[in-house]
Amino acid sequence: MSGRLRVILFLAAAAAFGWGLLDALAGIPPFGDYRGPYGDVVLQTMGELRHTQQGVAAVTFDYRGFDTLGEEFILFAAVAGALLLMRRQPSEKERGAHDQAPGHPAARIGPACRVSGLIMFPFTLLLGIYVVLHGHLSPGGGFQGGVLLASAFYFVYLSGEFEDLASFVKEHPVELTESAGAAAFALLAAIPLLLGEPCMKNILPFGEKGELLSSGMLPLFNIAVGIEVGAGFLLLVHAFLKQVLLIRKEGKK
């Protein structure tokens, strides 16, 4: 295919997609004009059907639960693919971290930064656990809480060295933790099938609305997602830093 023909095809495709995008933008309702009848249905029924006050959790793990099951394993596959791409190649070797810009003075981590990191680590970890456990009661949930859990360990690196983070992140145990989270989600979704009920249907007592132990299986789904997301993001952070700081081509410093 000649270059001229490629340009013509690109311009034609760009014009078609551009027209579709502009047409879709023209059809968007004005800001504040809510036209989502499904949202009204969820808000009217989630209290009676799910005994929860958190509409997002009810939608995620109940009204569209099967989609969430698929999304969960999309994330799992994405993390596995990223780790596969960043694994050490036969032509590469690991070596100790050293200055990437010799001749330029490196910024030293001051005491204030180290203390801030040490303080942020436990508080961020605790906040992540709180957001996961209260995902059926307040904004948040397993995904948001899982990201906070992984971010807590990132503070370890920011306030110290890569070796400090590596001492927390043992790759195989974290990989097993991520797999356990994904397996727990799939198991929770499949247990109702064994009882002759639809996939992901609640089979636990709903409890008292507004209490921590309520909303049936929603808290368990949030915990499974939080474990998988937290471990997955932690693996990604560790792999990216390891790739940048430690892994080099043979013969290169």
Side-chain angles (χ1 to χ4, degrees):
M1 181 183 296
S2 66
R4 181 184 179 83
L5 183 56
R6 289 183 181 183
V7 172
I8 293 174
L9 289 176
F10 168 75
L11 293 177
F17 281 109
W19 178 85
L21 179 61
L22 293 175
D23 185 60
L25 288 174
I28 292 178
F31 182 77
D33 183 14
Y34 178 65
R35 302 178 186 176
Y38 296 114
D40 295 332
V41 172
V42 170
L43 293 176
Q44 291 170 4
T45 59
M46 67 180 189
E48 178 182 355
L49 296 179
R50 296 299 313 183
H51 284 220
T52 182
Q53 58 203 45
Q54 228 286 36
V56 175
V59 171
T60 303
F61 298 119
D62 189 296
Y63 293 94
R64 44 146 282 183
F66 200 71
D67 289 346
T68 306
L69 180 63
E71 292 174 355
E72 190 72 8
F73 282 90
I74 288 175
L75 174 65
F76 185 82
V79 172
L83 296 178
L84 183 65
L85 289 174
M86 290 190 289
R87 71 191 189 284
R88 185 167 62 86
Q89 302 296 317
S91 60
E92 296 175 329
K93 64 178 181 180
E94 288 188 26
R95 53 103 174 101
H98 72 282
D99 191 358
Q100 299 291 320
H104 297 273
R108 297 180 62 83
I109 301 175
C113 184
R114 292 185 184 277
V115 172
S116 299
L118 291 175
I119 294 175
M120 290 301 294
F121 171 67
F123 279 100
T124 308
L125 195 65
L126 188 62
L127 178 61
I129 295 172
Y130 176 88
V131 170
V132 170
L133 294 182
H134 291 77
H136 60 296
L137 301 175
S138 57
F143 193 94
Q144 295 84 348
V147 173
L148 281 169
L149 291 174
S151 301
F153 290 92
Y154 193 53
F155 281 113
V156 175
Y157 166 71
L158 292 178
S159 60
E161 304 291 344
F162 175 75
E163 287 76 11
D164 299 323
L165 174 65
S167 66
F168 280 97
V169 183
K170 305 299 181 186
E171 292 184 46
H172 294 305
V174 179
E175 289 170 356
L176 289 176
T177 302
E178 188 206 12
S179 301
F185 192 104
L187 184 62
L188 288 170
I191 286 177
L193 295 175
L194 301 177
L195 302 176
E197 300 287 349
C199 177
M200 298 183 76
K201 180 179 174 60
N202 178 65
I203 56 172
L204 296 179
F206 281 120
E208 191 70 25
K209 183 180 177 182
E211 297 291 331
L212 183 61
L213 298 179
S214 64
S215 306
M217 296 170 65
L218 292 188
L220 298 180
F221 279 119
N222 268 322
I223 292 173
V225 172
I227 291 173
E228 188 207 342
V229 172
F233 275 82
L234 186 56
L235 284 170
L236 288 179
V237 169
H238 179 264
F240 274 117
L241 291 174
K242 185 177 180 181
Q243 183 68 231
V244 170
L245 298 176
L246 301 186
I247 297 179
R248 287 291 180 274
K249 290 277 189 183
E250 288 285 353
K252 290 187 176 180
K253 294 183 178 180

